[in-house]
């Protein structure tokens, strides 16, 4: 399910992704008879109720939900208790966008939690934006053999490259593994002008879309480019994104969208 959020915050979010027709979530083994622990039932129902296709076993989903709760208790003790809506939409889900499900949570948590547990949440995000890509040995490339835009972290590790969307999926997953709410944001096309600086940073007249990451820190959404060692809300695309159009203006192509797991109806 691809949801929309229209709220005022520091993030470069404008809204309503449902117009893109994307799906987030996969039906997870609904035929399995594995029992659901009462403490996990609400989150299990949330994931199943907003999922689309059956590709992941019920047992794998229940294991992932249990890990998400276990890890969230640690991050809550460090950074303060996270509200349930943020947890369910931006920490609990095993998918970031439309990528194939993969078991990243335990591996990322075990690798990165020892490094972030003595940092502030902002410092943790910046650390992860360096460490996750170094750990997986993944860097940006626009096109390469085996490329697909929505690679999961395992696929990107195998290929050693990812698009901006694939890089963003890695960073969102790494953030979620340590209890930092995170989501994918994107624009189908930047608003272009006749300014001479256009075309920098890999953008061209034929390819001016982009994806990035938003993280919920200190009660606000902040944006950051994946695999870019910058402070929050300070990226090369800030000026370009500020030109985006709101959906209320009837411009879907040049709007900015953010992904939430819950279906927006």
């Amino acid at each position: 399910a691809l949801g929309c959020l229209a709220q005022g915050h520091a993030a470069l979010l404008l809204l309503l992704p449902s117009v893109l027709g994307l799906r987030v979530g996969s039906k997870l083994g609904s035929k399995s008879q594995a029992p659901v622990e009462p403490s996990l039932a609400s989150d299990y129902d949330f994931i199943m109720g907003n999922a689309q296709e059956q590709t992941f076993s019920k047992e794998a989903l229940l294991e992932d939900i249990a890990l998400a709760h276990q890890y969230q208790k640690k991050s809550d003790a460090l950074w303060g208790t996270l509200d349930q809506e943020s947890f369910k939409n931006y920490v609990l889900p095993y998918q970031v966008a439309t990528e194939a499900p993969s078991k990243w949570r335990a591996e990322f948590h075990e690798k990165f939690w020892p490094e972030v547990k003595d940092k502030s949440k902002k410092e943790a995000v910046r650390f992860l934006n360096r460490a996750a890509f170094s750990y997986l040995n993944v860097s940006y490339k626009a096109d390469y053999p085996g490329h697909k835009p929505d690679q999961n972290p395992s696929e990107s590790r195998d290929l050693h490259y990812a698009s901006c969307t694939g890089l963003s999926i890695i960073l969102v997953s790494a953030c979620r593994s340590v209890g930092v709410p995170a989501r994918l944001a994107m624009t189908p096309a930047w608003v272009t002008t006749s300014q001479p600086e256009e075309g920098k940073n890999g953008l061209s007249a034929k390819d001016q879309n982009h994806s990035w990451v938003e993280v919920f820190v200190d009660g606000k959404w902040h944006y950051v480019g994946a695999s870019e060692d910058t402070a929050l809300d300070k990226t090369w695309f800030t000026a370009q994104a500020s030109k985006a159009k709101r959906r209320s203006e009837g411009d879907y192509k040049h709007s900015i969208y953010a992904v939430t797991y819950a279906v927006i109806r």
Side-chain angles (χ1 to χ4, degrees):
L2 189 62
C4 86
L5 307 165
Q7 57 192 68
H9 48 58
L12 297 171
L13 170 64
L14 290 178
L15 336 216
L16 249 145
S18 55
V19 302
L20 298 180
L22 301 179
R23 290 180 175 181
V24 175
S26 303
K27 280 291 185 188
L28 304 176
S30 57
K31 295 181 180 180
S32 172
Q33 298 302 310
V36 179
E37 294 183 20
S39 62
L40 305 180
S42 174
D43 290 332
Y44 175 80
D45 290 343
F46 172 78
I47 293 293
M48 291 296 292
N50 290 284
Q52 297 295 334
E53 300 172 0
Q54 182 174 329
T55 59
F56 220 33
S57 72
K58 181 177 181 181
E59 290 81 0
L61 171 60
L62 291 173
E63 178 185 3
D64 191 67
I65 292 174
L67 288 175
H69 277 270
Q70 176 185 335
Y71 299 157
Q72 193 61 44
K73 289 179 182 178
K74 296 163 69 174
S75 60
D76 283 353
L78 178 63
W79 295 314
T81 303
L82 183 67
D83 67 274
Q84 279 300 297
E85 181 179 356
S86 296
F87 172 75
K88 284 190 173 184
N89 276 296
Y90 308 116
V91 173
L92 176 67
Y94 59 94
Q95 280 176 294
V96 176
T98 55
E99 78 276 15
S102 63
K103 293 186 177 182
W104 47 263
R105 196 182 304 272
E107 178 184 356
F108 281 5
H109 183 85
E110 291 169 7
K111 176 66 179 179
F112 300 129
W113 179 254
E115 300 294 334
V116 304
K117 63 184 180 65
D118 296 320
K119 301 181 186 296
S120 70
K121 194 176 286 189
K122 283 186 178 180
E123 291 170 338
V125 172
R126 189 159 188 175
F127 169 82
L128 292 170
N129 209 3
R130 297 189 301 265
F133 303 100
S134 174
Y135 171 63
L136 296 177
N137 190 22
V138 175
S139 58
Y140 172 79
K141 199 169 187 178
D143 194 20
Y144 46 91
H147 165 265
K148 60 179 181 178
D150 59 345
Q151 292 170 189
N152 66 34
S154 295
E155 292 168 332
S156 294
R157 172 161 48 192
D158 290 344
L159 294 168
H160 301 297
Y161 297 110
S163 66
C164 56
T165 302
L167 295 177
S168 296
I169 288 171
I170 290 173
L171 181 56
V172 170
S173 300
C175 287
R176 290 179 178 180
S177 78
V178 298
V180 176
R183 66 192 182 194
L184 178 73
M186 81 290 283
T187 182
W190 294 126
V191 174
T192 59
T193 69
S194 59
Q195 296 300 314
E197 67 269 15
E198 289 206 28
K200 291 183 179 180
N201 301 300
L203 299 179
S204 69
K206 293 183 179 180
D207 183 14
Q208 296 192 18
N209 63 321
H210 191 47
S211 300
W212 58 92
V213 174
E214 293 184 342
V215 292
F216 195 68
V217 175
D218 297 334
K220 295 181 179 180
W221 285 103
H222 301 267
Y223 59 94
V224 65
S227 192
E228 297 175 19
D229 188 11
T230 63
L232 299 181
D233 305 328
K234 297 183 184 296
T235 71
W236 61 264
F237 58 83
T238 296
Q240 184 63 280
S242 68
K243 303 172 187 175
K245 305 293 185 180
R246 290 189 175 274
R247 195 189 73 88
S248 59
E249 299 174 18
D251 190 334
Y252 294 93
K253 183 177 180 180
H254 297 113
S255 294
I256 291 174
Y257 303 91
V259 176
T260 181
Y261 189 82
V263 176
I264 303 298
R265 295 182 174 89

